[in-house]
Amino acid sequence: MYRLFEAYLQTDYCQENLWFYRDVTLFKNLADQEEMKRRAEQIIDNYFGCNDDTTDQDRVAIIYIPDLMLKKIMDAKENPSPDMFDRARRDVESLLQTKYVYFCQT
């Protein structure tokens, strides 16, 4: 079902939202602080394009969230916590729920 929904999202040019949701859900379960920091930087680079060193080839896709939400994520980057992406995850989850309704109707 995941792959079918992902394929549906690809036709609507928004599959990166599903990937982001997956990645931040996995991030939430990390216990090691160094691994959490590494993954937080990777998520930020991949989905928000905030690192000048990240090439377009390395970037997964851009997730659009409100500037204030992004600022809070960037502020937490040096000392990440499991909940640092929660607000962005909830926003994306809301979008995915809407898309899922349409997916089920097709």
Side-chain angles (χ1 to χ4, degrees), residues 12 17 37:
D12 207 22
N17 291 287
K37 186 173 181 177

Side-chain angles (χ1 to χ4, degrees), residues 37 40-41 44-45 72-80 84:
K37 186 173 181 177
E41 289 176 3
I44 290 167
D45 293 347
K72 288 182 180 187
I73 289 170
M74 295 304 291
D75 290 346
K77 182 178 171 179
E78 291 305 314
N79 191 23
M84 71 182 280

Side-chain angles (χ1 to χ4, degrees), residues 37-106:
K37 186 173 181 177
R38 186 185 70 73
R39 288 291 298 139
E41 289 176 3
Q42 188 176 36
I43 289 168
I44 290 167
D45 293 347
N46 286 345
Y47 295 106
F48 303 118
C50 297
N51 183 346
D52 293 334
D53 295 334
T54 303
T55 65
D56 287 339
Q57 194 172 24
D58 295 333
R59 192 168 286 126
V60 173
I62 301 295
I63 299 293
Y64 295 100
I65 59 172
D67 288 341
L68 183 59
M69 193 181 300
L70 181 56
K71 182 183 179 336
K72 288 182 180 187
I73 289 170
M74 295 304 291
D75 290 346
K77 182 178 171 179
E78 291 305 314
N79 191 23
S81 65
D83 63 349
M84 71 182 280
F85 294 107
D86 280 0
R87 290 191 64 202
R89 186 176 62 87
R90 283 192 301 268
D91 272 14
V92 167
E93 182 178 24
S94 178
L95 170 71
L96 290 173
Q97 287 173 345
T98 302
K99 295 292 185 183
Y100 190 73
V101 169
Y102 291 121
F103 166 70
C104 289
Q105 293 173 351
T106 59

